[in-house]
Amino acid sequence: NVSFAILMLQICVIFGQQKVIVVDPGHGGKDTGAIGENGIKEKDVVLNVASEILRLNRTLFDNKIDIYLTRYSDSLISLKDRSRLSKTLKADLFVSLHCNASTTSSKGMDVYVDNAIDDKEVHIRESIALGLSVLEEITLKLGFKKRDVRFANFQVLRENIKYCPSILIEMGFVTNTDEADYYLRSKNIRAMALAILMGLYYYLNI
């Protein structure tokens, strides 16, 4: 009937106004990612932070942006499927979460963007701006050492940059005792999730 059609149209309009963000917790399943001090696993840290981003967006910001995760549990999703989700949802932003590792005493935060050129350059500039927004929020609010926005040919960046600004966040070094211990506390997981979320909101000017 007419009223149902109007309701559906309103829902479509509301959905159309919302920004869609795909948050990609790296690794998962048999792929643990880096294993750091105290046996902490990269796959667990990034999933915990991603899940908290989802929760905070709902509880603090009333889902003003639509956030989807590439995985919601300890499962291994192919890199191609992670990118396919972003394309299918017509995401406005793609954010991949990782932790770094080093054989030295390295510490701090890095954000990576794709090293693409030519027709993809508009998303490169936007990706750099997005990366800086997130990096500034994390390092200023949480006290992590600010390293840099860097360029790399990671598959999830390479495949997503065609469609939207895309970044990969290295949330500190799990091989650094202080930064590994940081993620053992749930309040710090929340703090990191909130800093990333605020960086996304500031970039989107919401």
Side-chain angles (χ1 to χ4, degrees):
N1 56 40
V2 175
S3 52
F4 176 77
I6 292 173
L7 176 61
M8 291 303 296
L9 180 60
Q10 289 173 334
I11 292 173
C12 289
V13 169
I14 291 171
F15 178 79
Q17 291 174 340
Q18 279 189 305
K19 298 295 184 180
V20 175
I21 298 178
V22 171
V23 175
D24 170 42
H27 307 284
K30 63 182 181 181
D31 179 8
T32 62
I35 299 178
E37 297 295 318
N38 299 322
I40 195 168
K41 296 177 182 177
E42 180 181 1
K43 68 171 185 176
D44 297 330
V45 172
V46 296
L47 181 59
N48 290 339
V49 172
S51 300
E52 193 63 17
I53 288 173
L54 200 63
R55 189 189 71 82
L56 291 173
N57 184 56
R58 181 181 69 253
T59 58
L60 295 185
F61 299 99
D62 197 27
N63 286 325
K64 287 183 180 177
I65 53 180
D66 250 349
I67 297 180
Y68 299 87
L69 306 187
T70 56
R71 65 181 180 96
Y72 292 82
S73 62
D74 184 18
S75 55
L76 181 60
I77 309 298
S78 73
L79 297 178
K80 186 167 289 294
D81 283 343
R82 294 170 197 253
S83 302
R84 186 177 292 125
L85 176 65
S86 182
K87 179 182 178 182
T88 300
L89 292 173
K90 298 182 178 178
D92 294 284
L93 302 176
F94 177 87
V95 180
S96 190
L97 304 181
H98 288 262
C99 294
N100 223 330
S102 174
T103 56
T104 66
S105 57
S106 300
K107 62 180 180 179
M109 307 286 303
D110 286 301
V111 174
Y112 284 87
V113 301
D114 190 56
N115 59 359
I117 57 173
D118 300 330
D119 60 323
K120 303 170 187 174
E121 284 185 356
V122 61
H123 288 323
I124 289 294
R125 291 192 293 269
E126 294 169 354
S127 298
I128 293 171
L130 171 61
L132 286 171
S133 179
V134 172
L135 191 60
E136 287 290 326
E137 189 66 17
I138 293 172
T139 54
L140 286 175
K141 297 292 176 60
L142 303 185
F144 276 76
K145 177 184 176 181
K146 181 179 179 181
R147 287 166 62 90
D148 214 342
V149 174
R150 304 177 188 272
F151 297 90
N153 189 29
F154 297 137
Q155 184 175 340
V156 289
L157 295 180
R158 184 174 67 247
E159 293 185 353
N160 277 288
I161 198 67
K162 306 170 187 176
Y163 311 110
C164 63
S166 306
I167 61 173
L168 185 148
I169 307 171
E170 294 280 8
M171 303 184 301
F173 286 77
V174 292
T175 48
N176 179 283
T177 302
D178 291 339
E179 294 184 349
D181 287 348
Y182 181 86
Y183 289 110
L184 295 176
R185 299 184 178 184
S186 57
K187 68 176 184 178
N188 293 338
I189 295 288
R190 287 195 296 272
M192 178 60 69
L194 182 58
I196 292 172
L197 190 57
M198 291 303 299
L200 300 178
Y201 268 84
Y202 286 144
Y203 172 80
L204 293 170
N205 197 26
I206 295 177

